[in-house]
Amino acid sequence: MPNWCEGTLKVRGKFEDVKLWAKENIMIYRAQITKDSDGHVNFEHVPVPDGVVFDDTDSEEFEMNVKEDAYIKDSRRHFIESDNYFCFKYAERDTILVLRFKAAWAIDEDPFVEMSKHYGVDFRLYGCERGAEFNQEVIIEHGEVVKNDEIKFDDYEWECPFPDLGG
């Protein structure tokens, strides 16, 4: 079982790009086990159609109801925590969607670099891992890693801003 690096994932960009990223990349799966005609057992993950529900009837905002921890597509080990999330369109600045997330062991920037390129959005991730006593900050802008820092502390419980997250 992994230690969790928990914190926030921010997605920044044009409103429609942020919404498209969320719709196409946050999903809940269920394990499905079947037997084929030869008796071989097949195991696959099948998306749960109503696991993440979007209400985007208003052109100026959307709500995303994540009913249980959801997988971030193609990330291998990054998840969005269950909650109701809201995102608003602004005329004077980019849209920012803020999500509670967790990663197994540490944040892997590679899938976010690819998603940044594909969707035209930027990512900022900050996670706390109390078991190994480090924080990690990752910033990806325009498909490039701007920052990927591991932050260590002399006294984790005192110096870390959220010492009870992760682990």
Side-chain angles (χ1 to χ4, degrees):
M1 186 164 128
N3 277 356
W4 293 108
C5 184
E6 293 183 54
T8 57
L9 163 60
K10 297 178 185 179
V11 186
R12 178 180 69 184
K14 295 177 186 167
F15 179 77
E16 291 302 324
D17 295 338
V18 171
K19 181 168 62 172
L20 183 63
W21 175 84
K23 281 186 166 187
E24 291 187 356
N25 291 283
I26 300 172
M27 53 195 64
I28 296 171
Y29 289 96
R30 291 279 183 270
Q32 183 174 354
I33 301 170
T34 58
K35 285 187 180 181
D36 61 22
S37 59
D38 295 332
H40 294 102
V41 175
N42 299 307
F43 179 84
E44 65 179 319
H45 287 96
V46 178
V48 176
D50 62 347
V52 179
V53 178
F54 283 86
D55 179 357
D56 60 352
T57 54
D58 186 328
S59 64
E60 301 295 312
E61 64 184 59
F62 72 85
E63 177 182 357
M64 180 175 63
N65 179 358
V66 180
K67 295 183 179 183
E68 58 188 82
D69 288 0
Y71 174 70
I72 300 174
K73 184 178 174 185
D74 296 329
S75 72
R76 221 183 84 194
R77 60 182 195 204
H78 295 79
F79 302 87
I80 300 301
E81 295 188 14
S82 64
D83 208 341
N84 282 320
Y85 298 99
F86 299 89
C87 189
F88 303 96
K89 184 176 186 178
Y90 299 100
E92 67 279 358
R93 66 176 175 89
D94 283 336
T95 293
I96 299 174
L97 173 62
V98 180
L99 303 164
R100 292 185 314 117
F101 97 105
K102 61 184 176 183
W105 297 289
I107 300 165
D108 176 12
E109 75 275 1
D110 292 339
F112 296 98
V113 168
E114 294 307 313
M115 289 185 281
S116 177
K117 291 175 185 174
H118 182 79
Y119 291 94
V121 296
D122 300 329
F123 295 98
R124 184 178 199 124
L125 300 97
Y126 192 95
C128 302
E129 210 288 50
R130 78 173 164 189
E133 295 191 344
F134 74 90
N135 288 188
Q136 186 179 2
E137 183 175 26
V138 176
I139 301 172
I140 295 147
E141 295 177 346
H142 311 291
E144 299 288 329
V145 177
V146 174
K147 186 178 201 177
N148 185 354
D149 289 346
E150 182 177 297
I151 303 157
K152 292 293 228 173
F153 301 94
D154 292 326
D155 182 343
Y156 189 79
E157 286 190 43
W158 178 252
E159 296 172 13
C160 175
F162 305 102
D164 290 338
L165 281 182

